[in-house]
Amino acid sequence: MLIFFALGANSTPKKIFTSPSFDAYLYLDSVKNEKYRIKAFVTFDIKNSSLLSKSKFYSQLISYECGQNIPIIIEELLAEKPFGKGKKIENIKELKKAQNLISSAYPSLFKETCI
């Protein structure tokens, strides 16, 4: 898991969504099309959220087919500081809150990667 996050952090991100609560970034070098499925690495810079107390960084390695509404999360990381630095949060309730918070960014992700 950490290997992919380290590799994804070295590529150039493209901002795909912004809101008062967070900004979402797609790492273009990570986007892979495997048959009908797309895999992508996405990070979320949490600016201000009453849902998440200590978390400032959330990232996902996801897989999806174009036309889907919700991707499959292969790996995820929730941490206090950018790129997984600082304390990592492994509480299932906090992870679910982060997933719910960032779900509004998925349509922008799909527009960016699906034709």
Side-chain angles (χ1 to χ4, degrees):
M1 177 157 113
L2 294 175
I3 294 171
F4 192 83
F5 284 115
L7 291 173
N10 291 330
S11 62
T12 305
K14 178 179 181 185
K15 188 184 283 190
I16 58 168
F17 185 83
T18 189
S19 76
S21 299
F22 67 93
D23 290 330
Y25 298 90
L26 171 65
Y27 289 77
L28 298 174
D29 294 347
S30 74
V31 177
K32 305 273 188 268
N33 190 347
E34 299 172 350
K35 293 190 180 186
Y36 300 107
R37 299 200 72 71
I38 295 173
K39 286 186 179 178
F41 180 67
V42 187
T43 61
F44 305 91
D45 181 14
I46 300 170
K47 298 185 264 185
N48 185 9
S49 173
S50 59
L51 292 175
L52 300 172
S53 55
K54 296 181 180 180
S55 309
K56 298 294 177 200
F57 179 82
Y58 180 55
S59 59
Q60 295 179 329
L61 173 61
I62 55 176
S63 174
Y64 54 92
E65 291 182 18
C66 291
Q68 262 185 272
N69 293 330
I70 301 171
I72 297 167
I73 300 170
I74 299 169
E75 295 179 24
E76 62 185 349
L77 175 68
L78 183 61
E80 289 180 334
K81 297 181 181 179
F83 298 104
K85 296 179 182 173
K87 183 178 177 185
K88 287 153 187 70
I89 293 126
E90 296 177 6
N91 181 312
I92 299 297
K93 289 182 182 179
E94 288 294 309
L95 286 168
K96 290 293 180 190
K97 288 178 187 178
Q99 290 171 3
N100 290 335
L101 176 69
I102 59 90
S103 64
S104 60
Y106 289 141
S108 296
L109 169 67
F110 298 149
K111 284 181 190 176
E112 193 68 39
T113 57
C114 295
I115 297 174

